[in-house]
Amino acid sequence: MSTNKIRALIVVVLLHAMAGCASVPLSSMIKLAAIGRDGIEQIDPSEIRVKVSVKPVYVKYVARTTLRYSITRDDGAVREEKLSLQLIERSAMTRSDGFMRRSAPLPTYILRLTPAEVKKFSEIRASALAKDRGARRTFSVSAPFSRTPLNPRSVKFWTDLKFSDESSWVVLLDGAEMYFKPKR
């Protein structure tokens, strides 16, 4: 095997390992990278959807869930906004709880940007910072809990992002586990 093929194989294995450690599937990383700057410029912000699933003993505080969108240039300039979301659907969705574990239905919340945030997203996208072709764009979701069990140890949750009605969901976190500090 040539040196270049070995290097490529090592990169693929490392990417796969990093994706597994971060609970972000490698296929999602590839999908998001494929969208690119031009794809983000074509997104209708009113069609952006966020899906969050969490174990039933945890109640997600929907009113405080946000989608963070940031643009970062190589020179360090950053434009970042927390965009408020509103609930459009609550249902049960079957999610895998890990390798060799059975799937279970979980409360799932589907949210969209509020009308004011649709406008803000468009303004961010039109900003001078966004015109830099080399700038990096990132999305993240913050979904705080309004209620947890007494002395929780950990919680698993799932987060997906969708850019249009016709596109498929992109899994951002697939059964990510968050650990709580013990109360003293």
Side-chain angles (χ1 to χ4, degrees):
M1 198 182 281
S2 74
T3 304
N4 287 338
K5 287 183 181 180
I6 292 172
R7 285 183 187 155
L9 180 61
I10 290 171
V11 168
V12 168
V13 169
L14 287 174
L15 280 173
H16 187 66
M18 287 181 350
C21 293
S23 299
V24 178
L26 181 59
S27 61
S28 296
M29 290 181 183
I30 292 168
K31 282 181 189 176
L32 290 171
I35 292 170
R37 177 188 184 276
D38 294 333
I40 290 174
E41 294 298 320
Q42 303 303 315
I43 293 171
D44 176 355
S46 67
E47 292 186 12
I48 294 173
R49 299 291 182 264
V50 172
K51 180 169 45 175
V52 179
S53 301
V54 66
K55 297 277 184 174
V57 294
Y58 292 84
V59 176
K60 197 175 80 50
Y61 190 57
V62 176
R64 291 186 20 214
T65 300
T66 58
L67 175 66
R68 184 175 299 196
Y69 177 57
S70 65
I71 301 171
T72 308
R73 279 198 322 227
D74 287 335
D75 66 5
V78 177
R79 170 95 190 254
E80 180 176 276
E81 294 287 342
K82 282 185 179 179
L83 305 167
S84 298
L85 299 165
Q86 62 187 29
L87 180 67
I88 56 174
E89 181 183 331
R90 182 180 189 275
S91 60
M93 181 179 173
T94 302
R95 294 285 199 161
S96 172
D97 202 14
F99 183 68
M100 300 291 285
R101 294 192 178 150
R102 68 172 199 211
S103 298
L106 297 172
T108 299
Y109 305 84
I110 298 178
L111 307 110
R112 68 174 169 225
L113 294 174
T114 65
E117 302 299 33
V118 166
K119 183 178 178 196
K120 190 187 291 185
F121 183 90
S122 297
E123 290 169 0
I124 297 166
R125 203 169 47 186
S127 71
L129 188 61
K131 299 301 180 200
D132 181 348
R133 293 201 66 79
R136 292 178 307 281
R137 288 140 183 87
T138 58
F139 291 91
S140 63
V141 176
S142 172
F145 301 111
S146 61
R147 187 174 67 226
T148 63
L150 187 61
N151 298 317
R153 292 183 182 196
S154 67
V155 62
K156 277 191 177 182
F157 54 96
W158 295 255
T159 305
D160 306 88
L161 185 61
K162 187 175 182 177
F163 294 110
S164 73
D165 292 336
E166 298 86 40
S167 67
S168 60
W169 289 98
V170 177
V171 179
L172 297 179
L173 295 173
D174 188 15
E177 193 158 11
M178 179 177 75
Y179 295 92
F180 295 92
K181 290 182 183 179
K183 294 181 182 179
R184 296 178 189 205

